[in-house]
Amino acid sequence: MALSHFDSGRRSNVFDPFSLDIWDPFEGFSSSVANIPSSARETSALANTRIDWKETPEAHVFKADLPGLKKEEVKVEVEDGRVLQISGERSREQEEKNDKWHRVERSSGKFMRRFRLPENAKMDQIRASMENGVLTVTVPKEDVKNPEVKAIDISG
């Protein structure tokens, strides 16, 4: 798993300032639609990788279910200084000549999700771990400084 910085990225959801999700043209369609090639359905399934984002008093925590993936197959990167990008690829299972498939529901292909991090994120302290197919990315937050209140004497 790598943590690196690079430039690019576009916001695809203008109504959510923290989201830079990849637009999926197949979202909402059943994967059994015969006119869509299977390779497009596979890529589409992983483009919709679901990620939870919660904010605690100390950090922003992202969790992604990535069953069957090893940490070497997943990248966690920061681009444009404040955009967290989680990406990876699940390889397709090798088909043997004599195999007869009855059903293929597990997805394969590439996925990528992007999230614009708020100003209070400590970009230099991001950490990621993977355990039992669950990727956890923790982005610590800056300490909230209470404004100093100074009493002013009123003359007169």
Side-chain angles (χ1 to χ4, degrees):
M1 182 170 1
L3 182 63
S4 62
H5 296 270
F6 66 94
D7 291 326
S8 82
R10 292 183 318 234
R11 180 177 317 190
S12 61
N13 183 347
V14 296
F15 300 110
D16 182 357
F18 299 118
S19 175
L20 286 172
D21 295 340
I22 303 302
W23 176 66
D24 178 19
F26 301 108
E27 184 173 321
F29 287 98
S30 170
S31 63
S32 63
V33 177
N35 295 338
I36 301 173
S38 64
S39 60
R41 286 194 307 268
E42 291 163 0
T43 302
S44 171
L46 278 175
N48 277 331
T49 298
R50 303 290 186 212
I51 297 179
D52 294 340
W53 176 3
K54 73 175 177 179
E55 183 175 355
T56 68
E58 298 81 29
H60 296 275
V61 181
F62 298 83
K63 288 194 178 226
D65 289 336
L66 302 172
L69 288 182
K70 300 178 186 124
K71 68 179 186 176
E72 296 80 20
E73 298 170 314
V74 177
K75 285 184 186 177
V76 178
E77 302 168 311
V78 175
E79 61 180 28
D80 291 336
R82 291 220 163 279
V83 179
L84 176 68
Q85 178 173 290
I86 300 171
S87 62
E89 182 172 6
R90 180 176 291 127
S91 301
R92 193 174 196 176
E93 190 171 325
Q94 292 293 330
E95 294 183 24
E96 299 295 324
K97 200 174 204 177
N98 297 327
D99 289 346
K100 179 180 178 184
W101 291 87
H102 293 278
R103 193 157 192 85
V104 177
E105 293 183 343
R106 296 184 313 143
S107 56
S108 62
K110 295 181 181 183
F111 70 92
M112 179 172 42
R113 296 290 306 273
R114 294 180 178 145
F115 302 91
R116 181 166 303 281
L117 296 171
E119 293 294 323
N120 67 349
K122 291 183 178 179
M123 303 308 295
D124 58 338
Q125 296 181 19
I126 297 174
R127 58 188 189 280
S129 64
M130 185 119 159
E131 187 174 335
N132 296 326
V134 178
L135 172 69
T136 302
V137 179
T138 304
V139 182
K141 292 173 21 180
E142 298 285 343
D143 294 331
V144 177
K145 296 179 182 176
N146 292 330
E148 187 177 310
V149 177
K150 181 180 176 186
I152 308 296
D153 289 331
I154 302 172
S155 63

